[in-house]
Amino acid sequence: MTVLTESSASSESPTGTESSVVFDELAALLPASQLMATDEGASYYRDQSDGTASGLPLAIVFPANTEDVAAIVAIAAAHHVPVVPQGARTGLAGGANAVAGCLVLNTTRMNKIIGVDRDDQTATVQAGVRTIALARAASAVGLFYPPDPGSWRASTIGGNVATNAGGMLSVKYGVTGNFVRQLTVVLADGSVVRTGQRTIKGVAAYDLTALLVGSEGTLGIVTEITVGLLPAPAAAFGVSATFATVAEALAAASVIVASSRRPSVLEYLDGACITAINAYDPASALPAGTAALLLIQSDEAGRAADDVRTYAETLRAGGATAVVIASDAVALDELMNARRLLHPALQAVRGASLNEDITVPRSQLPTLLSSLEQISAELAIPIAVGGHLGDGNLHPIVGFDPSSEVDVAAAQEAYARIIRLAISLGGSATGEHGIGVLKQDHLDDELGPVLRALQERVKHAFDPDGIMNPGKKL
Amino acid sequence: MTVLTESSASSESPTGTESSVVFDELAALLPASQLMATDEGASYYRDQSDGTASGLPLAIVFPANTEDVAAIVAIAAAHHVPVVPQGARTGLAGGANAVAGCLVLNTTRMNKIIGVDRDDQTATVQAGVRTIALARAASAVGLFYPPDPGSWRASTIGGNVATNAGGMLSVKYGVTGNFVRQLTVVLADGSVVRTGQRTIKGVAAYDLTALLVGSEGTLGIVTEITVGLLPAPAAAFGVSATFATVAEALAAASVIVASSRRPSVLEYLDGACITAINAYDPASALPAGTAALLLIQSDEAGRAADDVRTYAETLRAGGATAVVIASDAVALDELMNARRLLHPALQAVRGASLNEDITVPRSQLPTLLSSLEQISAELAIPIAVGGHLGDGNLHPIVGFDPSSEVDVAAAQEAYARIIRLAISLGGSATGEHGIGVLKQDHLDDELGPVLRALQERVKHAFDPDGIMNPGKKL
């Protein structure tokens, strides 16, 4: 990982003359409102990750539809100019950061909900539609789009597809990819394909839809997405429980995971997260002075209240110091909203943070959490841990002062050790945020050379000239 | 589609001398019990599909583990000999049929359950483990492997992965691919990779696991599979209902699909299926003299009985002529077992059958079913329809007498028309059986040239010499 805020254009980027030819071609294609010169568009250079490198783009473009994207990519392909797609730039791994001499292709003007089909329980949207807008459009006709990444009020569906975003409801409903049926994709030569099928099942061809999900824009640019929806669930009931020790919280959660009543939410926050969230937004009012907090919900029709009573008994039997049942939507939203502040709250503690997104087999959670305490102590750097306990996908957050060289070095070391720890426990560097540029150094540890080479052949099959978001993912 | 039982070796297959060199190398590698000459192994030439072509293999091999498979594929690669993997040969599209001069690689001796991890809710098995054996191993420790293709007593997990098999429980739980976490795969050069991750979530690399699922052995040979499991569900309750018209059955099913109580089974049989199943196995005793039968179940803890009562009310309100609730496991099993006889029962009616596996958006089911009646009448060929109504994945079965040229021609015409119909309704030729050789002619209609070319580039990235199950899938 390289902690840089901006790198200079590399020697491979187009010369000034070539750049101006490309810019002129774009200006001939797009109205002025859809094309921005580099000096106007600095806010589009990068996502929300701290400490990731970005380069100076050639221009920022704002296509309105698939045809615009195809024409832009055709120009880029003709001049061998890299294209970096981005949505709302809520990413946490630098996947949407500009690379030197690229076109930044921002999808936020592609924000049209093309249709919601109540009978077939599907929705088709442009890639720049916000996650919450899709969820609301589904809800308006009695349907449900479950994936709810932390940034869902701002994030786009295209960005969610690019990282295969999860969220708090993933423990029951799965991640973005579990809902994606069809993708309209602009390939590296500007041609357009639609992958997948509208139907629930389908095995006519290789599942390129699944391959594109999570590919961070390195195989093609997703412009339209058809998702499957579910009937709206029942109103949720929830329970929160505090524990004097992390071990008791983990043990109680294990009992719930092993039961046949599947919670719709099973989240974890440690004491440091609670302190940071309460400091960041005092309205959060999470219970202070505790080692660990579990948030658990059920949204099962005709059973949610009974599920939550059962969970509450399990939590009490597991030694919870306080157990609070909430059947009130407002109270539940407050808890969920407080939980969603995890990243900004921890970023605020020391001014910057490195956000982990590790996964481990659930049986390894006790070892993981005790090892994280050790790393924090050894490097004298704060590590707060929260996240999706039910999925084994946690977000240890390493806070650091970006102006302190000592802090930066310790944070980098902690960050790398945590990923190596997760991999050594049978896990992965990333469950839902992606590799981006932040985790590049760890990919080889995880894949090994033969699988890495196969991945590169697949990339080459899609993008032989390497212009699609180069330097990301692989 | 070509109706052939065997084709002669093509001009591209190895010469006799080369073949004997390959056979000698295999004989040096494998014990005699794991290698079979062509003349001994005719039963391994093909799967259960009627009317699909197969070729004469060079030999049949029975590897015991990944190392055997790697060594066999290395020999095949060195001599440019095609390799056709197969499990229990329960396929219905010819995907496991031998091609001329190939090695048939039968995985049924790779039948070891490597481990079931109760805490992490996973199981790792060799590819030749039978589906039912995995389900039972999971059940023995209180866990659940849901995918239950019709042939699950015989079919192998490797075959299920190759076709992304579904089953009756897919309407609630999803298909095989939804449970696959990791695959050990022998690539076309004999190298071995492990794709995916043990954890629930993971986006570190392109999702080659999802790409391999459903690829019918054309990208590599899957030798070991790690699946995610669920906690065991509650005992199921079920309800069956008969209808005087297909339209009423479809309308009642739509109401159930739109509700927040998701059934674990939602199956459909028309009158012709019922007649054929009762004739094939009189013990089935399905209710005769009716236009359509729905089978619906719930396995939700603490709610199954209530779910089924709710479904029964919906069915009665929808005009069902008879509604029978079953809470008894034996009675439920009888209904499910009768439903599982669909393919053999219809095959028996005229001696052979072409088994469709079409999917359509659920809103198109009424149009689909009335159009099928029309095709049957126009071509004077019986078409019985049953299958996974809740998924929009039906199995129209075209019965024919293989000794009658008129019947064969009419069956072929009906088969092709049905696929074109499904595609024209926004559906697909195959939901869970695969393309194999049977549906090759229809793939272009579904994909179009740009997507087809992209698929071929992906195939080439895995298998540049085209030795992995050539002529299948694409």
Side-chain angles (χ1 to χ4, degrees):
Chain A
M1 185 192 64
T2 319
V3 173
L4 285 175
T5 51
E6 196 172 313
S7 66
S8 57
S10 85
S11 59
E12 287 165 19
S13 65
T15 62
T17 319
E18 277 176 318
S19 294
S20 83
V21 170
V22 171
F23 197 90
D24 290 348
E25 288 185 26
L26 291 168
L29 174 74
L30 298 167
S33 63
Q34 291 180 227
L35 174 63
M36 196 180 271
T38 300
D39 49 359
E40 304 163 52
S43 64
Y44 295 97
Y45 293 3
R46 47 189 301 113
D47 68 14
Q48 288 180 8
S49 57
D50 289 322
T52 54
S54 70
L56 193 66
L58 189 157
I60 300 110
V61 290
F62 299 87
N65 50 45
T66 302
E67 293 65 38
D68 283 354
V69 175
I72 292 163
V73 173
I75 291 172
H79 296 278
H80 302 282
V81 170
V83 182
V84 177
Q86 64 177 209
R89 289 157 292 137
T90 54
L92 294 168
N97 287 7
V99 301
C102 77
L103 299 184
V104 168
L105 189 152
N106 184 292
T107 62
T108 50
R109 294 203 200 166
M110 295 170 59
N111 61 358
K112 200 171 146 193
I113 293 178
I114 297 167
V116 179
D117 187 322
R118 189 200 305 230
D119 292 336
D120 284 327
Q121 301 177 344
T122 61
T124 299
V125 300
Q126 287 188 307
V129 165
R130 285 178 305 133
T131 316
I132 197 171
L134 170 57
R136 285 182 177 154
S139 177
V141 296
L143 295 172
F144 180 37
Y145 178 70
D148 63 336
S151 56
W152 73 317
R153 286 173 202 284
S155 68
T156 64
I157 298 295
N160 297 167
V161 168
T163 57
N164 199 8
M168 290 198 268
L169 293 168
S170 294
V171 67
K172 175 173 178 181
Y173 292 102
V175 291
T176 301
N178 296 112
F179 292 85
V180 175
R181 300 254 182 99
Q182 286 192 301
L183 295 173
T184 301
V185 185
V186 175
L187 299 177
D189 63 356
S191 61
V192 180
V193 292
R194 176 170 283 186
T195 69
Q197 66 290 318
R198 275 173 62 197
T199 51
I200 297 168
K201 292 158 78 175
V203 291
Y206 298 133
D207 191 354
L208 302 187
T209 309
L211 186 67
L212 284 154
V213 170
S215 67
E216 302 185 23
T218 63
L219 301 180
I221 297 174
V222 171
T223 58
E224 289 181 17
I225 298 139
T226 297
V227 295
L229 302 170
L230 296 174
F237 279 61
V239 56
S240 62
T242 52
F243 291 86
T245 69
V246 168
E248 285 170 302
L250 295 180
S254 290
V255 175
I256 288 168
V257 163
S259 85
S260 58
R261 292 168 183 256
R262 199 166 182 180
S264 54
V265 169
L266 176 37
E267 291 289 311
Y268 173 84
L269 292 172
D270 72 6
C273 293
I274 293 169
T275 306
I277 291 170
N278 284 341
Y280 185 75
D281 178 7
S284 297
L286 290 171
T290 187
L293 174 72
L294 295 180
L295 302 176
I296 305 176
Q297 294 191 9
S298 169
D299 61 3
E300 277 294 335
R303 210 187 67 194
D306 189 48
D307 282 351
V308 162
R309 273 193 300 272
T310 309
Y311 300 150
E313 278 164 34
T314 303
L315 295 164
R316 280 190 204 102
T321 49
V323 175
V324 179
I325 290 181
S327 57
D328 171 320
V330 176
L332 279 177
D333 275 355
E334 277 172 8
L335 275 175
M336 295 288 265
N337 289 337
R339 158 63 187 87
R340 284 184 202 282
L341 296 175
L342 179 62
H343 287 136
L346 269 299
Q347 218 161 16
V349 172
R350 289 216 179 176
S353 66
L354 290 174
N355 302 313
E356 301 273 9
D357 176 40
I358 51 172
T359 66
V360 295
R362 286 186 294 217
S363 64
Q364 300 302 313
L365 286 165
T367 309
L368 175 73
L369 289 174
S370 59
S371 303
L372 289 175
E373 278 181 38
Q374 223 175 315
I375 292 171
S376 173
E378 279 173 23
L379 297 172
I381 193 98
I383 302 175
V385 187
H388 314 303
L389 194 68
D391 287 328
N393 177 207
L394 290 178
H395 300 305
I397 301 182
V398 185
F400 68 97
D401 172 356
S403 68
S404 153
E405 273 181 40
V406 174
D407 244 33
V408 169
Q412 288 184 352
E413 175 62 16
Y415 190 84
R417 279 202 204 176
I418 293 170
I419 290 180
R420 289 198 298 265
L421 170 65
I423 295 173
S424 76
L425 295 173
S428 170
T430 176
E432 57 182 13
H433 294 172
I435 293 288
V437 292
L438 190 61
K439 295 158 202 157
Q440 292 275 333
D441 295 350
H442 302 277
L443 197 60
D444 282 336
D445 300 346
E446 209 164 322
L447 300 187
V450 182
L451 184 54
R452 170 78 184 218
L454 180 60
Q455 296 261 342
E456 277 166 2
R457 291 202 298 279
V458 170
K459 160 80 175 172
H460 192 262
F462 278 80
D463 180 24
D465 293 334
I467 65 165
M468 306 310 279
N469 209 6
K472 313 295 174 64
K473 186 89 188 170
L474 278 189
Chain B
M1 187 190 63
T2 320
V3 172
L4 285 176
T5 51
E6 196 171 312
S7 67
S8 56
S10 84
S11 58
E12 287 165 18
S13 65
T15 63
T17 320
E18 277 176 320
S19 294
S20 83
V21 170
V22 172
F23 198 89
D24 290 349
E25 288 185 26
L26 292 168
L29 173 74
L30 298 166
S33 64
Q34 289 181 228
L35 174 63
M36 197 179 272
T38 300
D39 50 358
E40 305 162 51
S43 65
Y44 295 98
Y45 293 2
R46 48 189 301 113
D47 68 14
Q48 287 180 9
S49 57
D50 289 321
T52 55
S54 71
L56 193 67
L58 189 158
I60 300 109
V61 291
F62 299 88
N65 51 45
T66 301
E67 293 66 37
D68 283 354
V69 175
I72 291 164
V73 173
I75 292 172
H79 297 277
H80 301 284
V81 170
V83 182
V84 176
Q86 63 177 209
R89 291 157 291 138
T90 54
L92 294 168
N97 287 7
V99 302
C102 78
L103 299 183
V104 168
L105 189 152
N106 185 292
T107 62
T108 51
R109 293 205 200 164
M110 295 171 57
N111 59 359
K112 200 170 146 194
I113 293 177
I114 296 167
V116 180
D117 187 322
R118 191 201 303 233
D119 292 336
D120 284 329
Q121 302 176 343
T122 62
T124 300
V125 300
Q126 286 188 307
V129 164
R130 284 177 306 133
T131 315
I132 197 171
L134 169 57
R136 284 182 179 154
S139 177
V141 296
L143 295 172
F144 181 36
Y145 178 70
D148 63 337
S151 56
W152 73 318
R153 286 172 202 284
S155 69
T156 64
I157 299 294
N160 298 167
V161 168
T163 57
N164 198 10
M168 291 197 268
L169 293 167
S170 294
V171 67
K172 176 173 176 180
Y173 292 102
V175 291
T176 301
N178 296 111
F179 293 85
V180 174
R181 300 253 182 100
Q182 284 192 303
L183 295 173
T184 302
V185 185
V186 175
L187 299 177
D189 62 356
S191 62
V192 179
V193 293
R194 178 169 282 187
T195 68
Q197 66 288 320
R198 277 174 62 199
T199 51
I200 297 169
K201 291 157 80 175
V203 292
Y206 297 134
D207 191 353
L208 301 188
T209 309
L211 187 67
L212 284 155
V213 170
S215 68
E216 302 185 25
T218 63
L219 301 180
I221 297 174
V222 171
T223 59
E224 289 180 18
I225 298 139
T226 297
V227 295
L229 302 170
L230 296 174
F237 279 60
V239 55
S240 62
T242 52
F243 290 86
T245 68
V246 168
E248 283 170 304
L250 295 180
S254 291
V255 175
I256 288 169
V257 162
S259 86
S260 58
R261 292 166 184 258
R262 200 167 178 180
S264 55
V265 170
L266 176 38
E267 291 289 311
Y268 172 84
L269 292 173
D270 71 6
C273 293
I274 292 169
T275 305
I277 291 170
N278 284 341
Y280 185 75
D281 179 6
S284 296
L286 291 171
T290 187
L293 174 73
L294 295 180
L295 301 177
I296 306 176
Q297 294 191 10
S298 170
D299 62 2
E300 277 294 336
R303 211 187 65 194
D306 189 47
D307 282 351
V308 162
R309 272 193 300 275
T310 308
Y311 300 150
E313 279 165 33
T314 303
L315 295 164
R316 279 191 205 101
T321 49
V323 175
V324 180
I325 290 182
S327 57
D328 171 319
V330 176
L332 279 177
D333 275 355
E334 277 172 9
L335 274 176
M336 295 287 266
N337 289 337
R339 159 63 186 86
R340 283 185 203 281
L341 296 176
L342 179 62
H343 288 136
L346 270 297
Q347 219 160 16
V349 172
R350 291 215 178 176
S353 65
L354 291 174
N355 302 313
E356 300 274 8
D357 176 39
I358 52 173
T359 66
V360 294
R362 285 186 294 218
S363 63
Q364 300 302 313
L365 286 165
T367 308
L368 175 72
L369 289 174
S370 59
S371 304
L372 289 175
E373 278 180 39
Q374 221 176 316
I375 292 172
S376 174
E378 279 173 22
L379 297 172
I381 194 96
I383 302 174
V385 187
H388 314 302
L389 194 68
D391 287 327
N393 177 208
L394 290 178
H395 300 306
I397 301 182
V398 185
F400 68 98
D401 173 356
S403 67
S404 154
E405 274 182 37
V406 174
D407 245 33
V408 169
Q412 289 185 351
E413 175 61 18
Y415 190 83
R417 279 200 206 176
I418 293 169
I419 291 180
R420 288 197 299 265
L421 170 65
I423 295 172
S424 76
L425 296 173
S428 169
T430 177
E432 58 184 12
H433 295 173
I435 293 288
V437 292
L438 191 60
K439 294 159 203 157
Q440 292 275 333
D441 295 350
H442 302 278
L443 197 60
D444 282 336
D445 300 345
E446 210 165 322
L447 300 186
V450 182
L451 184 54
R452 171 78 184 221
L454 180 61
Q455 296 261 341
E456 278 166 2
R457 291 202 300 278
V458 170
K459 160 79 174 172
H460 192 262
F462 278 80
D463 180 22
D465 293 335
I467 66 165
M468 306 310 278
N469 208 7
K472 313 294 174 63
K473 187 87 189 171
L474 276 189

